Amino acid sequence: MPYRFIIACLTLSASVVAQSGSASFTSLGDALVTVGGRIQSLSMVAETESGAPFSGQDSSSPSYTARGGIAWLEPIQGSGPPLVFQVLPGEGRKGGGDPVRVIGFNFLSPGSVASNLLFDGVPAPSFSVVTDSVLTATTPGGIDACGNPKGLVEVRVDSQLGTGKLANGFGYQPILRASSARVGQRLDLQLSADGPTSGVFWVGQTVPGVCVPIAPFAGSLTLVSSFTPLGLPPLFSPTGQINLSLVVPADPLLVGLEIEFQALAVTPPPAALSGSFTRALTVPVLH
């Protein structure tokens, strides 16, 4: 019986000891390769014809190495609620309509098939169960009440046996991310957009229900109270990934407070002036 390995993500190459014994085995490791197998596709899927795909020793193959991630086997099916590991690609347009693959497990559990796929509680307009570990889908729109992208949202898969959830499983661009904020330490902000982008960052305070649209940009500025621009002039990235580092003041009175950030992703010349605000991001200050 062929066994299939599905790899959820790629990082640095290393070796991993593959343990044998269970055909429903799941492993977190730095590297995994097929044994006596062949490449199924370039989309991180491979198959082996061996009935014992793991030898109990370091696996090695000159033709295929899956680097850093989650590996599990098919066609063995579990018997329980769905598990959601990753969405590929992990980001898309705020208007939706992007094709994605949802990687997980128990999408075809005995007596139960994945019946619903939701992004931040919004059903995908279409999805198909490909295997026990793969769904294909089209993303729904992800726009909040101010017209801004929702950013990172939960992805949920329902079946008759329960629900599987992945927090921050998919991101609607442009996305603003932040590291943890600790007094006296560096705070890193990252703006993620699609393609060449100039970015402007603000720190301030939102007023619930208040949205200030600024033409010709999509969405709204919501940091309308005591807002201060950061990183001027605008920062530019040809890849759409813009990073900005700040230092949180070493004031213990800040612990327990929250800092709010927002960014604007601008399409640079020679294109017509356009772009979109991100959703405001709230970061608590820690010790």
Side-chain angles (χ1 to χ4, degrees), residues 8 26 37 48 70 82 121 123 128 159 161 168 182 186 198 200 214 218 221 263 275:
T26 299
T48 175
I70 303 169
S128 299
S159 77
L161 295 180
N168 299 327
R182 298 182 180 275
R186 191 177 77 179
S198 293
V200 180
I214 301 177
L221 180 66

Side-chain angles (χ1 to χ4, degrees), residues 81-82 106-109 111-118 123-129 135 156-164:
N106 283 346
F107 297 155
L108 282 172
S109 292
S112 177
V113 177
S115 57
N116 210 8
L117 171 63
L118 303 99
S126 64
F127 81 95
S128 299
V129 181
L135 304 178
R156 189 181 96 199
V157 177
D158 296 332
S159 77
Q160 292 92 327
L161 295 180
T163 294

Side-chain angles (χ1 to χ4, degrees), residues 8-87:
C9 60
L10 303 179
T11 54
L12 298 176
S13 178
S15 64
V16 66
V17 175
Q19 301 176 2
S20 61
S22 171
S24 58
F25 160 99
T26 299
S27 171
L28 293 172
D30 295 322
L32 181 69
V33 297
T34 61
V35 178
R38 67 177 187 275
I39 302 302
Q40 169 82 353
S41 71
L42 296 179
S43 59
M44 296 180 289
V45 178
E47 288 188 358
T48 175
E49 299 301 332
S50 169
F54 295 115
S55 64
Q57 301 176 351
D58 285 359
S59 302
S60 63
S61 167
S63 61
Y64 185 81
T65 303
R67 301 172 181 175
I70 303 169
W72 64 100
L73 301 180
E74 288 186 336
I76 303 300
Q77 298 172 357
S79 179
L83 301 175
V84 183
F85 295 144
Q86 192 174 15
V87 179

Side-chain angles (χ1 to χ4, degrees), residues 127-209:
F127 81 95
S128 299
V129 181
V130 180
T131 71
D132 191 52
S133 298
V134 178
L135 304 178
T136 58
T138 301
T139 58
I143 302 175
D144 67 15
C146 287
N148 295 328
K150 291 182 176 180
L152 297 173
V153 301
E154 178 189 84
V155 177
R156 189 181 96 199
V157 177
D158 296 332
S159 77
Q160 292 92 327
L161 295 180
T163 294
K165 299 178 180 180
L166 179 63
N168 299 327
F170 184 78
Y172 289 101
Q173 296 176 329
I175 305 168
L176 183 60
R177 296 178 172 89
S179 64
S180 59
R182 298 182 180 275
V183 292
Q185 298 187 25
R186 191 177 77 179
L187 167 66
D188 295 318
L189 298 174
Q190 182 187 74
L191 173 62
S192 176
D194 183 19
T197 300
S198 293
V200 180
F201 298 80
W202 288 273
V203 60
Q205 183 177 1
T206 59
V207 176

